[in-house]
Amino acid sequence: MRCLLNSIKAPSFCTLASPLLHSPLSQPTQTIQNPNPFSTLINDFTKFCYQRDLPRAINAMNSLQNHRIRADSVTYWELIKCIIQNKAIQQGKLVHQHLFSDGFEPKSFLINNLMNMYVKFGLMEEARQLFDKMSERNVVSWTTMISAYTNLNCGEEALRLFFIMNREGVSPNMFTYSSILRACDGLRTLQQIHCSIIERGLESDVFVRSALIDIYAKWGDLDNGFRVFSEMVTGDLIVWNSIIGAFAQNGNGDGALNLFKSMRRAGFGANQGTLTSVLRACTGLVLLEFGRQLHVQVMKFGRDLILDNALLDTYCKCGSVEDANLAFERMPERDVISWSTMIAGLAQNGRSREALELFESMKACGSKPNYITMVGVLFACSHAGLVEDGWYYFRSMKKLYGIQPEREHYGCMVDLLGRAGMLEEVVKFIHEMECKPDLIIWRALLGACRVHRNVNLAAYAAKKIIELEPHDTGSHILLSNTYSYSCRWQDAEKVRKAMTEKGIRKEPGCSWIELERKIHVFILGDKSHPQTDSINKELNRLICRIVEVGYVPDTNFVLHDLETEQKEDSLRYHSEKLAIAFGVLNSSREKPVRIMKNLRICGDCHTFAKLVAKVENRNIVIRDPIRFHHFKDGVCSCADYW
């Protein structure tokens, strides 16, 4: 008896663990020494699948098919993973055919994996056919399809499936909600799904909470986003990152930085996601010194391309071209975002020729420009009056790079031609555009009309803007300013009266400066700053000094019909002049005076800054909503072309 037991071969692991083993042709075992004549085939198939040997695994699978047998589900899962890794679409379809041969339907586990394979290959029709034919759909099946449609920006179909899933009694899980939240088409749908999350008791899940914050931020509802964050029982870095990113994304830089400080006080260390969001907040607030402090933390993570790009963007948009150049040169890896960021940064800081040279270097390195790159290139041309270059790059976009010009590119060309005073060409260009002119196009034309004081064309452009957006503040203000520059005071007054009737209010001019980690804000006529008296005294001293070298207040930039003395007094206390006086008074001569503005700098303040930089031997940097002005030795980086 012992000899007989010793002669029995142990069945393979695959045979014991094969719930899907199926052989219609198999016969009753005739000898006890060979209970399954196909075990060798199955063992070989299993070995090749786990070894990721795709050709041999497919051959072994064909042998199984010839004998009409199957291995276990886990082995097929390993094969499908190997197929996805190798992007082997045809082999994936062979596995599909094998599993469904002879009228057999594999379990949901395998069908879900096949669906996921098709989704990753971008074959949504094949995935949907599998899904529709499933006799049993579980939460994984539904979530796979919902996530796929969400990732394809087919939010309507994702939401439709989600609601059908609920009607069929399948309970969504944390992964379903994380996916469907991204498909929300508005706050009403979002709030419905939020209620469903609470009903299912999943509101405390880290990923669901994070997704809720992200989507509330997407729809601009920071209050509800912060409420979700505040309900967090235990802290988690993922949720902290979501709320910091939400505030940064919605332009609330102060809120993002305060949350970052709270996070650090709570004992959390920053990771790449945290630093990327905080750098975005610094960029929005133009906090160069804080950005430099974050640079030290960025270096702790080694070389991370996303972080490097965020840091590069911060330096460019904070007006420190030197820091940006250094960061760019030290990048071990650059992608199209890196090149585009640096090109746009040079252009915004008045270095248009350098921007175009860098674009040529980018092409020489084999990096292909994209939509954003060409916006930066055309911006460089428009802000330096490079009309011929602009036309060349615009015409070559589609021909050389396969980039279809869109509204931002057309807007740059309108701006380029308009700044150059080619207003007739601008109108012709707009009428020949392949897309319908939008606010960007008409605003660019209106801005050019203001510069060149073409009142009639300005009125036409403003009319087009108001047709598209009746309560657009900028168009009313630009039209009023154009009338004022031309001394058409009655027309300017009519525009201002119309603004009052529509409830449109002009945003007051505001300038701010960062000093010793504090932000100092200045508004025309505001006397709330604790150093007001000292600032006014310093401002008067600076005016006296520049008058000696030829400064005469340019009262053309006073937009009201006032007496000459009143006009000069109005110009004296513009917010950027107050900020410059504060900066000169409170910072060392070696450091540039860096000022941010919410409105375009006026011509008189531009002249003031140039002359102060000269007589005080200071570097002054002013960023308005469009670009940077670097003043040094009585010259501006914009070459007085803005």
Side-chain angles (χ1 to χ4, degrees):
M1 184 65 179
R2 180 172 297 176
C3 293
L4 180 62
L5 289 172
N6 288 338
S7 69
I8 299 175
K9 291 185 179 180
S12 68
F13 164 79
C14 191
T15 305
L16 290 173
S18 300
L20 290 184
L21 187 61
H22 175 73
S23 177
L25 300 179
S26 60
Q27 300 295 325
T29 304
Q30 296 179 1
T31 60
I32 197 166
Q33 287 84 359
N34 189 16
N36 186 349
F38 305 112
S39 60
T40 301
L41 284 177
I42 294 174
N43 284 338
D44 287 344
F45 175 64
T46 302
K47 178 177 67 175
F48 297 143
C49 289
Y50 277 89
Q51 289 177 348
R52 297 289 194 268
D53 190 339
L54 185 56
R56 286 186 172 185
I58 294 297
N59 287 335
M61 185 189 73
N62 291 335
S63 296
L64 296 181
Q65 179 66 40
N66 291 335
H67 291 88
R68 299 171 69 186
I69 61 175
R70 290 174 177 78
D72 63 279
S73 298
V74 177
T75 302
Y76 286 114
W77 179 42
E78 291 295 330
L79 178 57
I80 292 171
K81 287 196 291 185
C82 180
I83 287 169
I84 292 172
Q85 183 180 352
N86 288 277
K87 300 179 180 178
I89 297 175
Q90 294 307 317
Q91 288 85 340
K93 290 182 176 180
L94 289 175
V95 175
H96 180 178
Q97 292 171 6
H98 167 65
L99 290 173
F100 281 85
S101 61
D102 302 319
F104 183 80
E105 180 178 332
K107 290 187 177 180
S108 299
F109 167 76
L110 269 182
I111 301 178
N112 290 337
N113 279 284
L114 282 172
M115 284 167 47
N116 181 56
M117 176 191 74
Y118 282 129
V119 166
K120 289 187 180 297
F121 289 155
L123 302 174
M124 283 301 298
E125 185 177 347
E126 287 83 349
R128 186 59 187 260
Q129 287 175 359
L130 267 176
F131 177 76
D132 289 339
K133 291 178 181 178
M134 289 181 73
S135 56
E136 276 188 42
R137 298 171 184 158
N138 58 22
V139 64
V140 177
S141 315
W142 288 98
T143 301
T144 299
M145 295 306 298
I146 289 170
S147 177
Y149 281 115
T150 299
N151 292 334
L152 289 170
N153 294 320
C154 299
E156 185 176 343
E157 181 62 17
L159 286 166
R160 192 180 73 83
L161 286 177
F162 176 76
F163 292 125
I164 294 174
M165 171 188 180
N166 278 274
R167 282 201 301 269
E168 293 193 3
V170 181
S171 297
N173 62 17
M174 63 194 73
F175 303 108
T176 320
Y177 282 119
S178 295
S179 295
I180 198 61
L181 282 168
R182 293 184 288 115
C184 289
D185 55 2
L187 284 172
R188 183 176 178 181
T189 306
L190 170 57
Q191 288 162 359
Q192 288 177 343
I193 295 176
H194 191 172
C195 289
S196 174
I197 289 169
I198 295 171
E199 289 173 2
R200 304 282 182 189
L202 291 172
E203 70 275 12
S204 60
D205 180 81
V206 169
F207 296 102
V208 173
R209 188 180 293 275
S210 178
L212 273 169
I213 293 170
D214 291 342
I215 196 64
Y216 272 122
K218 174 186 174 182
W219 292 104
D221 190 348
L222 281 182
D223 290 339
N224 269 318
F226 188 72
R227 189 172 293 113
V228 171
F229 168 77
S230 301
E231 291 169 355
M232 183 169 59
V233 178
T234 56
D236 189 281
L237 184 58
I238 294 173
V239 182
W240 277 104
N241 283 350
S242 291
I243 193 63
I244 291 171
F247 275 75
Q249 175 186 330
N250 281 273
N252 191 332
D254 284 329
L257 294 181
N258 288 332
L259 282 165
F260 174 63
K261 293 172 185 176
S262 298
M263 186 194 86
R264 298 305 299 270
R265 285 195 297 268
F268 287 91
N271 64 10
Q272 290 96 325
T274 320
L275 292 175
T276 301
S277 294
V278 178
L279 282 168
R280 177 186 287 182
C282 288
T283 301
L285 294 172
V286 200
L287 300 179
L288 177 61
E289 293 305 321
F290 195 67
R292 283 172 173 159
Q293 293 171 31
L294 290 172
H295 192 163
V296 177
Q297 296 189 48
V298 169
M299 293 176 67
K300 295 178 182 178
F301 291 94
R303 308 314 302 177
D304 182 288
L305 184 58
I306 295 176
L307 263 181
D308 284 345
N309 284 338
L311 184 66
L312 181 64
D313 187 52
T314 298
Y315 282 140
C316 286
K317 290 180 179 175
C318 286
S320 182
V321 181
E322 297 75 20
D323 284 321
N325 267 324
L326 192 60
F328 184 75
E329 292 298 328
R330 289 179 175 176
M331 292 177 71
E333 179 187 2
R334 298 170 186 155
D335 60 5
V336 66
I337 297 174
S338 316
W339 289 100
S340 302
T341 300
M342 195 65 209
I343 289 168
L346 288 169
Q348 287 176 329
N349 282 276
R351 301 191 181 186
S352 293
R353 285 293 182 188
E354 291 179 46
L356 298 183
E357 289 171 6
L358 188 64
F359 177 59
E360 296 301 324
S361 298
M362 173 186 179
K363 293 190 294 180
C365 289
S367 187
K368 185 179 179 181
N370 65 8
Y371 169 97
I372 300 297
T373 316
M374 297 312 299
V375 171
V377 169
L378 294 176
F379 182 93
C381 295
S382 71
H383 283 260
L386 306 175
V387 177
E388 291 185 8
D389 293 282
W391 272 121
Y392 168 75
Y393 288 119
F394 179 78
R395 288 166 176 159
S396 67
M397 282 174 55
K398 188 174 182 180
K399 182 178 179 181
L400 297 182
Y401 315 119
I403 302 171
Q404 182 67 37
E406 297 192 27
R407 284 184 172 84
E408 286 80 357
H409 304 109
Y410 285 115
C412 286
M413 288 302 297
V414 170
D415 192 52
L416 168 64
L417 298 173
R419 287 173 185 274
M422 304 166 67
L423 298 182
E424 290 184 8
E425 288 87 341
V426 172
V427 175
K428 180 181 177 183
F429 179 80
I430 291 174
H431 289 152
E432 293 176 352
M433 283 170 46
E434 294 183 9
C435 60
K436 188 176 180 181
D438 64 353
L439 291 173
I440 294 174
I441 304 298
W442 293 118
R443 281 173 182 160
L445 176 58
L446 182 54
C449 293
R450 179 189 64 82
V451 172
H452 297 286
R453 304 187 183 184
N454 188 319
V455 177
N456 293 331
L457 189 55
Y460 171 73
K463 180 182 177 183
K464 291 292 184 181
I465 295 173
I466 293 169
E467 286 175 1
L468 293 170
E469 181 52 65
H471 291 83
D472 181 71
T473 304
S475 61
H476 286 83
I477 292 170
L478 276 173
L479 182 59
S480 173
N481 291 354
T482 304
Y483 284 136
S484 297
Y485 292 149
S486 303
C487 297
R488 290 174 56 170
W489 305 113
Q490 289 184 346
D491 290 324
E493 182 58 32
K494 287 180 182 178
V495 176
R496 288 195 290 270
K497 184 178 179 181
M499 290 174 63
T500 302
E501 291 172 352
K502 294 178 181 179
I504 300 172
R505 296 186 62 185
K506 178 182 177 182
E507 184 181 6
C510 173
S511 299
W512 63 97
I513 180 172
E514 178 190 9
L515 193 67
E516 302 296 332
R517 302 185 185 182
K518 291 183 179 180
I519 304 297
H520 299 264
V521 181
F522 299 93
I523 300 174
L524 175 65
D526 182 20
K527 298 180 180 180
S528 62
H529 196 281
Q531 293 187 39
T532 293
D533 291 340
S534 300
I535 292 168
N536 289 338
K537 185 177 180 180
E538 177 67 9
L539 178 58
N540 290 331
R541 183 188 73 82
L542 292 174
I543 291 175
C544 289
R545 287 209 66 189
I546 62 176
V547 165
E548 294 174 359
V549 295
Y551 170 69
V552 176
D554 189 346
T555 55
N556 288 321
F557 291 97
V558 177
L559 304 179
H560 297 279
D561 189 13
L562 304 172
E563 297 296 330
T564 301
E565 185 176 341
Q566 290 176 303
K567 288 183 177 182
E568 291 183 5
D569 193 54
S570 175
L571 285 173
R572 179 182 294 263
Y573 298 107
H574 275 194
S575 64
E576 53 265 60
K577 289 190 177 78
L578 295 172
I580 289 172
F582 173 83
V584 171
L585 184 65
N586 290 280
S587 63
S588 63
R589 190 172 296 275
E590 294 75 24
K591 288 188 175 183
V593 176
R594 298 182 181 275
I595 295 163
M596 285 62 69
K597 271 186 60 64
N598 65 332
L599 304 177
R600 297 290 299 275
I601 185 172
C602 80
D604 182 70
C605 289
H606 194 268
T607 301
F608 174 86
K610 285 196 300 183
L611 294 177
V612 169
K614 180 178 181 179
V615 300
E616 293 291 309
N617 192 25
R618 299 293 298 264
N619 288 355
I620 299 174
V621 181
I622 298 179
R623 192 192 86 165
D624 66 22
I626 305 298
R627 65 179 300 164
F628 280 92
H629 297 266
H630 295 257
F631 301 95
K632 184 179 180 181
D633 299 327
V635 177
C636 180
S637 60
C638 74
D640 297 341
Y641 190 88
W642 87 98

